């Protein structure tokens, strides 16, 4: 039995690209079916993320013309890329053996989907699409994106460098992913937590075929902040560190203030004032950091993430 592939495509106001994307992806399906790499009833699942334009009507048209290959899910309202993609993956999970998620704008190279499928057949559960260079991005997008990956690494969030949300996931990887019940989701950070064997394929990212980016700076910053704050309590630990640092500074300040005091060059009251400012400042930061540690723990607990993922069990068959 051949594996059934579902290509999940989140779409928000993508009327300009929808037909082009559908055609290109149908081409990929036909090609892979002809090569006997996927099942004949493999399909594309468009997720309409509350588009305000004609995106959903176009998805309906595609479904009418290609009832098996083109399917759709309509979300009630705009929930954002990460949730739209999650909705698509979980819907596809019960109808397929393997999923590939890709943006509607065809910036990602559809031809590497075949390579992803090959890696899946070699036994990989998650295959990341990683872009080689960022030549087609504007200078601004490139530098901000790179700063973002560096920042994530500093904050201790494991992500794959230069990988966005173009990836293959096996059915069991999606099933395990669906057990992550958190509401603040940053998919790229969650994938490494699943723990199955992963691999990467490399491609050049192209320009959008049509339309404009649905990720303005505001959404990008929100995604970056969400990525850090949902995966790491390091910022809190940093406050604690800062508090300790300030207390140490207060020792130096004390030495300086006492020398000034005994050499008699100071206004009355200055020494005690300067000492209290440094010492209390440090103390307060430490206290906030300590309280923060507990809040950080509570935050991690309330996510109720699965603690492990059993990959295989060896046992006797009686
Ligand atoms: N998208 C979505 N909901 C949103 C914003 C974007 O489903 O609220 C989809 C969009 O249709 C596209 C993908 O997410 O398929 C990535 O968006 P885009 O290509 O605009 O981002 P960029 O490549 O500019 O970072
Ligand atoms: Mg794009």
């Amino acid at each position: 039995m051949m594996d059934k592939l579902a290509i999940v495509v989140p779409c928000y106001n993508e009327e300009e690209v929808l037909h082009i994307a559908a055609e290109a992806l149908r081409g990929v399906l036909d090609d892979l079916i002809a090569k006997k790499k996927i099942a004949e009833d493999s399909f594309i699942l468009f997720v309409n993320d509350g588009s305000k334009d004609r995106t959903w009507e176009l998805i309906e048209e595609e479904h009418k013309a290609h009832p098996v290959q083109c399917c759709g899910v309509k979300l009630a309202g705009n929930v954002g890329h990460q949730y739209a993609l999650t909705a698509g993956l979980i819907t596809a999970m019960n109808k397929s053996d393997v999923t590939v998620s890709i943006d509607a704008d065809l910036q990602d190279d559809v031809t590497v989907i075949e390579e992803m499928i090959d890696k899946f057949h070699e036994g990989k559960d998650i295959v990341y699409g990683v872009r080689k260079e960022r030549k087609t991005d504007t200078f601004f997008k490139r530098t901000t994106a790179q700063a973002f990956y560096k920042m994530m690494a500093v904050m201790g969030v494991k992500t794959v460098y230069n990988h966005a949300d173009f990836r293959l996931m096996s059915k069991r990887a999606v099933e395990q992913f669906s057990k992550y019940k958190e509401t603040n989701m940053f998919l790229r950070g969650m994938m490494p937590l699943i723990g199955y064997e992963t691999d990467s394929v490399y491609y050049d990212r192209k320009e959008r075929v049509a339309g404009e980016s649905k990720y303005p700076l505001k959404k990008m910053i929100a995604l970056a902040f969400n990525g850090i704050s949902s995966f790491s309590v390091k910022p809190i630990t940093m406050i604690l560190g800062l508090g300790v640092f300030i207390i140490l500074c207060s020792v130096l300040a004390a030495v300086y203030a006492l020398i000034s005091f005994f050499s008699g060059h100071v206004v009355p009251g200055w020494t005690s004032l300067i000492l209290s400012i440094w010492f209390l400042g440090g103390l307060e930061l430490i206290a906030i950091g300590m309280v923060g540690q507990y809040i950080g723990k509570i935050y991690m607990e309330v996510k109720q993430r699965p603690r492990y993922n059993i990959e295989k069990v060896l046992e006797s068959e009686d």
Side-chain angles (χ1 to χ4, degrees), residues 2-3 26-40 42 69 110-118 121:
M2 230 98 64
D3 291 311
R26 270 189 279 113
V28 172
L29 289 183
D30 289 338
D31 182 45
L32 290 174
I33 291 169
K35 288 179 178 159
K36 303 219 178 302
K37 291 192 175 181
I38 55 172
E40 272 176 26
S42 296
Q69 282 197 322
V110 296
T111 57
V112 300
I113 293 179
E114 181 172 355
E115 234 179 289
M116 289 179 163
I117 294 287
D118 291 342
H121 286 142

Side-chain angles (χ1 to χ4, degrees), residues 10 12 56 81 107-108 123 140 174 202 211 242 253 271 288 305 316:
Y12 176 59
W56 181 247
H81 177 222
Q107 282 191 286
D108 307 312
F140 178 73
V174 182
Y202 298 88
L242 188 66
T271 316
I288 293 172
R305 284 180 179 171
S316 63

Side-chain angles (χ1 to χ4, degrees), residues 12-261:
Y12 176 59
N13 293 348
E14 299 285 10
E15 60 181 6
E16 286 120 319
V17 296
L18 202 104
H19 282 315
I20 311 174
E23 204 180 309
L25 293 172
R26 270 189 279 113
V28 172
L29 289 183
D30 289 338
D31 182 45
L32 290 174
I33 291 169
K35 288 179 178 159
K36 303 219 178 302
K37 291 192 175 181
I38 55 172
E40 272 176 26
D41 51 354
S42 296
F43 63 100
I44 309 164
L45 184 67
F46 292 102
V47 183
N48 178 34
D49 183 17
S51 301
K52 293 181 184 69
D53 62 0
R54 294 188 58 250
T55 302
W56 181 247
E57 281 89 77
L58 299 187
I59 295 172
E60 283 177 326
E61 278 173 26
E62 282 292 336
H63 178 61
K64 221 176 205 163
H66 310 276
V68 180
Q69 282 197 322
C70 294
C71 305
V73 174
K74 187 181 184 185
L75 299 181
N78 178 247
V79 295
H81 177 222
Q82 301 285 294
Y83 293 130
L85 186 49
T86 306
L89 287 173
I90 291 179
T91 310
M93 179 173 81
N94 299 320
K95 304 179 194 333
S96 61
D97 305 302
V98 53
T99 61
V100 168
S101 55
I102 189 167
D103 291 349
D105 57 8
L106 297 183
Q107 282 191 286
D108 307 312
D109 187 358
V110 296
T111 57
V112 300
I113 293 179
E114 181 172 355
E115 234 179 289
M116 289 179 163
I117 294 287
D118 291 342
K119 303 241 178 202
F120 167 67
H121 286 142
E122 284 166 21
K124 304 289 190 281
D125 278 274
I126 299 175
V127 184
Y128 300 111
V130 177
R131 54 170 107 166
K132 287 186 212 147
E133 285 174 77
R134 288 182 167 263
K135 265 194 248 150
T136 53
D137 278 346
T138 58
F139 173 75
F140 178 73
K141 180 110 193 179
R142 197 164 57 223
T143 36
T144 47
Q146 260 147 17
F148 167 67
Y149 288 110
K150 296 245 163 71
M151 178 89 162
M152 291 303 244
V154 171
M155 291 292 171
V157 186
K158 269 202 252 165
T159 48
V160 179
Y161 191 68
N162 266 348
H163 157 70
D165 284 306
F166 179 30
R167 81 175 79 77
L168 173 144
M169 290 175 82
S170 67
K171 187 190 177 100
R172 63 172 190 169
V174 182
E175 276 168 352
Q176 181 66 15
F177 161 71
S178 70
K179 291 184 195 149
Y180 285 74
K181 298 292 181 201
E182 58 211 73
T183 29
N184 286 296
M185 290 213 294
F186 181 63
L187 296 177
R188 275 168 250 180
M190 290 162 79
M191 295 304 144
L193 299 181
I194 293 175
Y196 288 136
E197 214 180 323
T198 64
D199 207 338
S200 302
V201 295
Y202 298 88
Y203 67 98
D204 286 313
R205 188 150 154 122
K206 292 176 265 194
E207 310 227 12
R208 228 174 200 282
V209 277
E212 51 193 44
S213 174
K214 309 296 182 288
Y215 256 101
L217 185 63
K218 206 174 110 203
K219 273 195 192 168
M220 252 162 60
I221 293 175
L223 181 74
F225 184 72
N226 191 12
I228 293 166
S229 59
S230 340
F231 275 85
S232 156
V233 286
K234 225 171 182 168
I236 300 175
T237 313
M238 283 163 112
I239 295 178
L240 194 61
L242 188 66
V244 173
F245 177 71
I246 299 279
I247 286 281
L248 291 178
C249 287
S250 87
V251 175
L252 295 182
V255 173
Y256 172 68
L258 288 176
I259 291 173
S260 307
F261 178 73

